[in-house]
Amino acid sequence: MTRDRVTGVVALILGLFIGINAFQIPASTMSGDPGPQVFVFIPAVLLIICGAGLLITGKSKEEPFFTRTEAKRLLIISAVVLGYIISMNWLGFLLPTIVVLYILATLFGKDKNIPWWGRLIFAVVVSIAVYYLYGTVLKLKLPANKLF
Amino acid sequence: MEFTEVFAQLFSPVTFGLVLLGCLAGIVLGAIPGLAGGMAITVLLPFTFAMEPIMAMAILMGIYVGGESGGYIGSILLGIPGTPANVATVYDGFAMTKKGEVTRALSIATVSNLLGTVPSILIAMLACPVIAAFAIKMGPWEYFALALMAITLVVSLSKGKMFKGFIAAALGLFITQIGYAPISATPRFTFDSYYLAGGFDTLTVLIGIFAGATVFINYAKGDQEKHATFTPKIGHFHFPLQDLIDNTFNIIRSFFIGLFIGFLPGMGPALSNVVSYSTAKNSSKHPDEFGKGCPEGIFAPEVANNASVGGAIIPMIALGIPGDGTTVLLLSALTIQGISAGPLLQQNNPTLVNMIFLAAIVSAIFSLIIQIFGLRLFPLLMEVPYHYLYPTILIISFIGVYANTCNIFSLFCALGFTFLGIWMTWADIPVTPFILSFVLGGTLETNFRQAISFAGGNWTTFFTRPVSCILILTAVFCVAWPFLKDAISQIKQKHERKG
């Protein structure tokens, strides 16, 4: 299955999903107003037509966009960021950010042999800088600590 | 009268300093390859939340103009464009560097930036009131048709992958429909979730698709390790008088190409620099010199991409419709500040609009000065430590999302949109139609329903009103044209074979 064909199938399924759910949206109660239902059909129809079109005509370069290692790296960074968001929910901003910045700097700099204390200083300095800048100077809200 | 007020505010120490900082940040972030132009604003947008609208817009204009100016640095020094708006600058800019004329190339590009930005803003200042006055007379039919045309124009650009362009637009439309429907406040696709009922915030979507996806893909691909180092020495800025005189016509032509393309909704510097370069090459008396380091090849893209700045501002201010990807962010900034963009913007907020223009002009001048004096420091920008930069950008972006929405759910959404952005890159689906239809979807639907309501359920009014009819037909034509063109050339070929 070429990339385009996969995209076509995804679009087709999504279009069908939207279309089916659209029927559950109540039609308009006001006279003359087409209602909230009509517009939902437009992306549904577009997705179905174009998805089918891609499926039929779809061809793309054969070499995969992500190699095995690249896909693995993608998974790693996704897991790290997901973990970051979840941990921020419970632990607030400062601690998770320091940890994540250290991890990310390690991940990005793997081949460059940056000393661990360099990464640690970076993580701590940037976290505190952002905390101060956003929290105190700009008075923006940062995730708060719920556990202790 | 309002101008003096705006002047006073702009030149007050705090605002002045912040605009200067914004310019600098824009130039630096625009110069660093791997950070798209809009990233600078996306990442720095939350800084403006606590500020008053006028100050916020002043700084954002500084970042915008600086970002459009700094991108040429990578193109010329390393052959790696800082933003998609500087792709064409690589051809002759980098060639000139290899010939040993790096200072000349940098000087030409620096001057081109100013030549593109300032006149385009001046034209915007004159054009906006005129267009806005006309736009106020528009009814929902015309707004719907305009938004439709904007989206189809961008989709039609993805010739060869129209299906994907439409899929992108459909996706954007769908995502913007999640939440409460306009007018009737009917919940759609909320699945009884309290969080989904609010719909998705523009910044959340943009940060996911631009910042998140870019950093994730860069990590996956290990791109940041491939940058070469730059060794030649750069001299002081040298005003390219002779080159300017030789290229007067080229500059003027490139300016209008940039202005026009910037004006068209959804298209901006990324397109205009390439179009301007090819036009300059095709109409040159010595096209073979292009690609080998000729000044025409630097003037053309750099004047055009900066002229698109003023061009893109015109629809943003006069119509409330984004002129390019970055103005989408500026419009979001206005919304976050509680100001509704549209034809009445100039009437209701004249000081703000004047600040936008003035800040843009001042930023262009700042950028010139910064670049003239910083010319010799440019290679430093190319040595930036990506292993520190990307994590910082990721954190700042996600925290920006939180600062805007104040709930963790939106961070999960941003992550989700990051995956969407990655998928779209994988599937080669263009992002601009998606963004445009996401931003314009609400306008599209609201005006569609209002138009039909006003006409008592009658759909034909879209075509009986002349402006609306013309716009809709243009929209259809844009999409149909590539197919028509192919059909016509096939018919021509058949005739030639027979004859």
Side-chain angles (χ1 to χ4, degrees):
Chain A
M1 273 263 256
T2 63
R3 246 188 280 161
D4 285 354
R5 293 227 161 92
V6 172
T7 312
V9 169
V10 171
L12 201 56
I13 296 177
L14 188 61
L16 287 168
F17 170 75
I18 297 174
I20 293 173
N21 272 292
F23 283 108
Q24 294 172 357
I25 299 174
S28 172
T29 47
M30 301 182 271
S31 72
D33 176 19
Q37 212 188 31
V38 172
F39 236 70
V40 181
F41 282 118
I42 296 181
V45 167
L46 268 178
L47 282 171
I48 293 176
I49 295 179
C50 295
L54 264 188
L55 198 58
I56 298 172
T57 66
K59 46 179 150 60
S60 68
K61 306 176 219 138
E62 292 311 318
E63 59 322 320
F65 190 73
F66 288 119
T67 64
R68 266 246 136 95
T69 17
E70 289 171 354
K72 219 169 52 160
R73 283 164 78 105
L74 204 58
L75 228 64
I76 293 175
I77 197 171
S78 309
V80 169
V81 175
L82 186 62
Y84 175 52
I85 299 175
I86 296 175
S87 63
M88 265 213 291
N89 192 24
W90 296 108
L91 296 173
F93 170 76
L94 211 46
L95 196 56
T97 307
I98 295 179
V99 172
V100 157
L101 276 177
Y102 182 80
I103 296 178
L104 286 176
T106 314
L107 287 176
F108 273 97
K110 228 184 211 163
D111 303 321
K112 289 182 201 163
N113 294 320
I114 311 148
W116 66 267
W117 44 265
R119 290 176 260 145
L120 192 61
I121 294 177
F122 159 73
V124 172
V125 167
V126 172
S127 303
I128 294 185
V130 171
Y131 184 73
Y132 181 66
L133 193 59
Y134 278 66
T136 316
V137 175
L138 298 172
K139 295 195 176 45
L140 296 170
K141 196 157 177 268
L142 290 175
N145 206 315
K146 282 192 212 168
L147 279 190
F148 42 82
Chain B
M1 181 186 54
E2 282 115 16
F3 258 114
T4 36
E5 196 186 315
V6 172
F7 249 91
Q9 168 110 35
L10 182 60
F11 288 98
S12 71
V14 178
T15 317
F16 196 71
L18 285 171
V19 173
L20 190 59
L21 263 176
C23 244
L24 195 59
I27 293 177
V28 168
L29 290 174
I32 297 175
L35 300 181
M39 264 257 235
I41 295 193
T42 311
V43 169
L44 298 173
L45 195 61
F47 281 82
T48 64
F49 292 165
M51 300 177 194
E52 281 181 25
I54 293 190
M55 204 145 97
M57 291 316 290
I59 296 163
L60 288 173
M61 290 314 292
I63 302 174
Y64 182 31
V65 172
E68 287 306 336
S69 306
Y72 70 78
I73 297 175
S75 301
I76 293 180
L77 293 186
L78 292 176
I80 305 172
T83 76
N86 307 91
V87 167
T89 316
V90 171
Y91 307 137
D92 280 280
F94 192 43
M96 236 193 221
T97 303
K98 288 195 269 197
K99 270 196 327 194
E101 296 181 334
V102 63
T103 317
R104 184 178 174 208
L106 289 173
S107 307
I108 291 177
T110 307
V111 168
S112 305
N113 286 337
L114 190 78
L115 286 176
T117 317
V118 176
S120 71
I121 303 280
L122 291 172
I123 291 183
M125 289 171 76
L126 295 171
C128 282
V130 174
I131 297 181
F134 173 71
I136 290 177
K137 298 185 196 147
M138 298 199 312
W141 300 264
E142 283 76 38
Y143 272 113
F144 168 78
L146 196 60
L148 182 69
M149 197 186 78
I151 297 178
T152 50
L153 207 60
V154 173
V155 172
S156 71
L157 271 189
S158 31
K159 59 178 164 94
K161 30 185 200 173
M162 278 259 211
F163 282 140
K164 295 186 188 175
F166 273 116
I167 287 180
L171 269 176
L173 215 53
F174 167 59
I175 300 240
T176 202
Q177 285 171 353
I178 298 177
Y180 286 118
I183 300 179
S184 49
T186 329
R188 292 191 293 201
F189 296 105
T190 55
F191 303 112
D192 289 329
S193 156
Y194 163 74
Y195 290 111
L196 283 178
F200 296 116
D201 185 74
T202 312
L203 194 65
T204 310
V205 175
L206 289 173
I207 281 196
I209 299 237
F210 285 127
T214 306
V215 174
F216 276 41
I217 292 179
N218 261 298
Y219 175 65
K221 297 243 160 202
D223 271 352
Q224 72 275 21
E225 291 155 41
K226 294 180 193 154
H227 292 304
T229 40
F230 176 76
T231 35
K233 280 204 79 175
I234 304 180
H236 286 289
F237 171 79
H238 177 72
F239 188 75
L241 184 63
Q242 189 54 48
D243 288 321
L244 269 174
I245 297 173
D246 293 334
N247 281 278
T248 316
F249 183 68
N250 179 19
I251 293 174
I252 296 177
R253 177 189 56 216
S254 309
F255 173 79
F256 281 106
I257 291 178
L259 189 71
F260 180 66
I261 292 184
F263 172 73
L264 293 175
M267 289 179 274
L271 181 65
S272 62
N273 82 100
V274 174
V275 170
S276 177
Y277 184 83
S278 349
T279 314
K281 185 172 179 184
N282 290 337
S283 30
S284 165
K285 294 182 194 123
H286 27 89
D288 324 304
E289 285 189 24
F290 275 75
K292 300 200 186 120
C294 79
E296 282 173 69
I298 302 180
F299 275 115
E302 286 299 320
V303 170
N305 68 28
N306 280 79
S308 294
V309 168
I313 287 184
I314 299 177
M316 175 180 104
I317 291 184
L319 299 168
I321 289 184
D324 76 343
T326 323
T327 32
V328 169
L329 296 161
L330 293 174
L331 276 176
S332 312
L334 283 173
T335 313
I336 290 173
Q337 294 283 348
I339 296 175
S340 55
L344 291 174
L345 183 68
Q346 274 190 290
Q347 262 187 10
N348 295 340
N349 296 284
T351 326
L352 180 70
V353 171
N354 287 329
M355 175 57 96
I356 291 177
F357 291 134
L358 196 60
I361 294 179
V362 169
S363 306
I365 300 175
F366 273 162
S367 301
L368 181 74
I369 298 175
I370 293 175
Q371 285 165 341
I372 289 179
F373 286 105
L375 211 71
R376 310 192 77 189
L377 298 173
F378 285 168
L380 287 176
L381 288 171
M382 304 288 106
E383 309 273 328
V384 73
Y386 282 93
H387 50 270
Y388 288 150
L389 185 65
Y390 280 132
T392 312
I393 288 181
L394 203 59
I395 299 298
I396 293 184
S397 307
F398 275 78
I399 291 302
V401 170
Y402 185 84
N404 189 28
T405 55
C406 294
N407 67 68
I408 296 270
F409 178 74
S410 60
L411 289 180
F412 288 113
C413 292
L415 188 60
F417 285 113
T418 303
F419 293 138
L420 181 65
I422 295 176
W423 178 68
M424 286 173 80
T425 311
W426 175 87
D428 196 24
I429 292 180
V431 170
T432 317
F434 172 81
I435 299 281
L436 213 57
S437 57
F438 173 77
V439 170
L440 292 177
T443 310
L444 213 55
E445 180 169 5
T446 311
N447 285 297
F448 180 72
R449 290 169 62 179
Q450 275 181 347
I452 297 184
S453 284
F454 289 172
N458 185 359
W459 292 51
T460 61
T461 40
F462 282 106
F463 296 100
T464 53
R465 291 173 66 103
V467 178
S468 161
C469 186
I470 295 175
L471 290 173
I472 293 183
L473 288 177
T474 314
V476 174
F477 181 71
C478 285
V479 176
W481 173 239
F483 300 108
L484 283 176
K485 215 165 68 155
D486 285 338
I488 292 176
S489 60
Q490 275 183 358
I491 296 175
K492 265 199 203 156
Q493 281 177 351
K494 278 194 193 149
H495 273 273
E496 272 159 25
R497 267 185 245 139
K498 282 185 189 166

